[in-house]
Amino acid sequence: MVSNRGTHVLVWEQPGLEDQRPKSYSGGLGTRHWVTFMLFLGMANAYIMRTNMSVAIVAMVNHTALPVKQEALDTECGNVDSNVTKVAQLQDGSFVWSSSLQGYILSSFFYGYVITQIPFGILSKRYGARLFLGVGMLINSVFGLLVPVAAEAGVWWLILVRFIQGLGEGPIVPCSHAMLAKWIPPNERSRMGAAVYAGAQFGTVISMPLSGLLSAYGFAGGWPSIFYVFGLVGTLWCIMFLLFVSEDPEQCPRIKEAEKKYILSSLWGAAGSSSPPIPWSKILLSTPFWAIMLAHMGQNYGYETLMTELPTFMRQVLHFSIKDNGFVSALPYLCMWLFSMFISVVADWMLSSGRFNHTQVRKIINSIGEYGPAIGLFVAANTGCDPAATVAILAVGVGLNGGIYSGFKVNHLDVSPRFAGILMAFTNCLANLTGLLAPIIAGYIIEGNPSQAQWKKVFYIAGGVYIFCATFYNIFGSGRRQDWDNPAEDEAIAKKAAAKKNNKLERQ
């Protein structure tokens, strides 16, 4: 291990030290696996809070009171089964919200979410990530309990509560990334990173069918029980996380000494408060950083299109009931969750085999993760009146999307382990700004005319964005640690900054 002022270095990522990799820790499951598991549950909880409104809003809205001609009687695929129509009418809610207003309700969460990305990324770098993550998710969960009350009070109160939920969820991704950088050795990043971010799919898989069941059979009138159940579960997770998870291995009282040494011997400057100043200008001029940014933006636009609009598509075009809607809408995310875990093992094997470098692995796996769903969207848009084929194609396409967790999603850790949380804060902020446009654009396209032709436009736009952004990443992306995060230059940079400061004082 090479050390400098009490910090630790990724020794094999420094020139000439490739043969000094620390041996694998053979102590079985350790504290880092517990931290990974808790971050997985936190990510699942975050996506439950994010997606439950997508299913609940189908039960909340009085669809028969809307000026929509095609929804109840879509004759493109023949006459709608009268029994399905009657069931849909019985499941109608009490709120008369147009498609465009529903788009604003669904996107209000993301407005709050993006505002806190960069501030929490910077603050977690300075003060640590654990507290911001735990308290932020506690705010998200508590305000989730207030959604039914806010909806009854008025649509703008609902939008405000969802906005505050988004503010609370803001730390989840940058702070999780910062903690992964502190806890997970590089040779385990594909698996552990994918395991944490697979919580997003796990949460969606749990949220959509369970929300559908609660809408149909739940207490407090059905759909309100969605927010009561998940709000309580989220609150319990926050308490557990704050009590039993530590900021890093050095602050953890329960970690075994052997595991601590294994982790620390693998890391140097892993996002601790003693790290050097953030090289803002070099980051913003870094082509690999912008490649990750574009890949992240394309992913979020396509993903948010499906996550927020798929339940509505299932109802308006394929005529699934609310109960069945949740199960069918969750199927693609179940496939994505399973595939992400499989492909993460493949990615780590590719790296450990020595046949592929980090750049090649990230680009290959990410291509599967973004070109796959793009092709799935294009094909699904042309399946016509075959619900089984449409669902199957979307399941395969979205399933392949799981590749992104071993692609660009962990690429921040490759290019800059010490500033990974900051990089993730920036890319996730702009990606979610792009993603919040998805339900708004979809809402305007299908406003008053939710036909197959209009939904085809929604799918084509999302697929085109996937392809453009994935191609940009393949051209400009990199898995190499960047020169502006070179620990060997920290002392020289510090001396240069000190000399500049002294010269300034002498002139005064």
Side-chain angles (χ1 to χ4, degrees):
M1 180 181 72
V2 181
S3 63
N4 181 29
R5 297 184 182 182
T7 54
H8 307 273
V9 63
L10 294 163
V11 290
W12 60 89
E13 294 194 12
Q14 306 307 310
L17 296 175
E18 289 83 356
D19 58 341
Q20 298 183 29
R21 303 186 183 195
K23 296 180 180 179
S24 297
Y25 172 70
S26 57
L29 294 178
T31 305
R32 70 190 188 283
H33 296 98
W34 163 251
V35 173
T36 300
F37 177 66
M38 287 301 290
L39 290 174
F40 163 81
L41 292 180
M43 195 67 65
N45 178 49
Y47 271 73
I48 285 173
M49 295 296 179
R50 187 184 301 194
T51 59
N52 54 19
M53 179 60 77
S54 300
V55 176
I57 201 167
V58 179
M60 295 168 72
V61 172
N62 188 338
H63 299 271
T64 56
L66 294 175
V68 178
K69 297 178 181 179
Q70 297 276 348
E71 183 182 39
L73 296 173
D74 185 358
T75 59
E76 290 178 297
C77 299
N79 292 326
V80 181
D81 189 333
S82 60
N83 290 328
V84 173
T85 304
K86 289 177 181 177
V87 171
Q89 291 173 345
L90 287 173
Q91 294 173 331
D92 268 348
S94 58
F95 302 103
V96 183
W97 295 333
S98 66
S99 294
S100 57
L101 182 56
Q102 291 176 52
Y104 282 111
I105 293 170
L106 291 171
S107 64
S108 60
F109 180 96
F110 299 100
Y111 283 103
Y113 182 67
V114 299
I115 289 174
T116 49
Q117 292 290 305
I118 295 174
F120 278 120
I122 296 172
L123 289 171
S124 67
K125 173 73 176 167
R126 185 176 180 88
Y127 300 108
R130 171 184 158 274
L131 196 60
F132 291 117
L133 177 53
V135 174
M137 287 302 297
L138 183 62
I139 292 171
N140 185 8
S141 301
V142 170
F143 274 83
L145 295 168
L146 300 178
V147 167
V149 177
E152 294 294 340
V155 66
W156 294 110
W157 284 106
L158 174 60
I159 288 175
L160 177 62
V161 166
R162 290 292 289 174
F163 175 79
I164 294 173
Q165 280 192 273
L167 291 176
E169 191 166 310
I172 183 68
V173 172
C175 290
S176 292
H177 230 54
M179 292 194 70
L180 284 172
K182 296 175 183 179
W183 277 96
I184 308 303
N187 62 322
E188 298 179 0
R189 281 182 185 153
S190 292
R191 281 169 292 169
M192 297 294 204
V196 169
Y197 288 107
Q201 277 60 60
F202 181 78
T204 305
V205 168
I206 294 296
S207 173
M208 285 190 166
L210 189 54
S211 293
L213 289 173
L214 289 171
S215 292
Y217 307 115
F219 59 90
W223 66 262
S225 62
I226 297 173
F227 301 99
Y228 295 141
V229 169
F230 291 134
L232 180 60
V233 171
T235 301
L236 292 175
W237 175 86
C238 295
I239 295 171
M240 291 283 291
F241 179 81
L242 291 170
L243 289 177
F244 299 111
V245 174
S246 299
E247 180 70 29
D248 55 46
E250 292 181 293
Q251 298 182 41
C252 181
R254 291 174 293 275
I255 189 172
K256 294 180 180 178
E257 191 63 28
E259 184 184 12
K260 181 193 290 186
K261 289 182 178 178
Y262 166 62
I263 296 172
L264 296 181
S265 68
S266 304
L267 303 172
W268 176 25
S273 59
S274 60
S275 293
I278 301 166
W280 293 111
S281 60
K282 293 180 179 180
I283 290 175
L284 295 176
L285 293 174
S286 172
T287 304
F289 167 70
W290 286 104
I292 297 172
M293 178 76 78
L294 264 290
H296 205 159
M297 291 170 70
Q299 160 63 20
N300 270 47
Y301 185 89
Y303 187 83
E304 300 299 345
T305 296
L306 287 167
M307 187 174 67
T308 59
E309 298 300 325
L310 195 56
T312 302
F313 171 75
M314 294 295 183
R315 183 189 195 282
Q316 292 181 339
V317 176
L318 302 182
H319 307 295
F320 286 100
S321 68
I322 291 176
K323 180 181 70 175
D324 296 334
N325 194 335
F327 282 98
V328 176
S329 296
L331 181 60
Y333 302 102
L334 174 61
C335 296
M336 186 176 178
W337 176 43
L338 295 174
F339 183 74
S340 68
M341 301 308 296
F342 164 75
I343 203 68
S344 68
V345 176
V346 173
D348 275 346
W349 172 82
M350 292 171 70
L351 290 171
S352 62
S353 70
R355 300 170 187 170
F356 303 89
N357 59 36
H358 278 76
T359 299
Q360 293 167 333
V361 171
R362 298 302 176 225
K363 289 182 178 181
I364 291 170
I365 303 300
N366 195 72
S367 293
I368 296 172
E370 296 204 278
Y371 290 138
I375 294 171
L377 284 166
F378 290 147
V379 176
N382 292 281
T383 51
C385 303
D386 191 338
T390 303
V391 171
I393 291 166
L394 286 174
V396 173
V398 176
L400 293 174
N401 195 209
I404 60 110
Y405 295 115
S406 298
F408 82 82
K409 201 85 170 188
V410 293
N411 199 193
H412 311 70
L413 298 167
D414 299 324
V415 300
S416 178
R418 297 188 297 174
F419 304 114
I422 297 290
L423 299 187
M424 176 57 87
F426 271 90
T427 65
N428 204 45
C429 177
L430 287 185
N432 279 280
L433 282 172
T434 306
L436 66 84
L437 294 175
I440 295 175
I441 291 173
Y444 275 108
I445 290 174
I446 64 174
E447 180 80 56
N449 183 27
S451 63
Q452 287 191 39
Q454 296 303 99
W455 276 102
K456 185 181 291 187
K457 295 177 184 177
V458 174
F459 286 176
Y460 277 179
I461 292 172
V465 171
Y466 264 132
I467 288 178
F468 172 79
C469 295
T471 303
F472 187 93
Y473 179 81
N474 284 335
I475 295 172
F476 298 107
S478 174
R480 183 182 65 84
R481 186 169 186 170
Q482 298 302 292
D483 295 337
W484 41 265
D485 186 20
N486 185 354
E489 297 181 1
D490 285 354
E491 188 172 352
I493 293 172
K495 288 181 179 179
K496 185 177 179 181
K500 187 176 180 181
K501 184 177 180 180
N502 289 333
N503 290 335
K504 187 176 180 181
L505 291 173
E506 288 175 1
R507 292 194 195 101
Q508 295 175 353

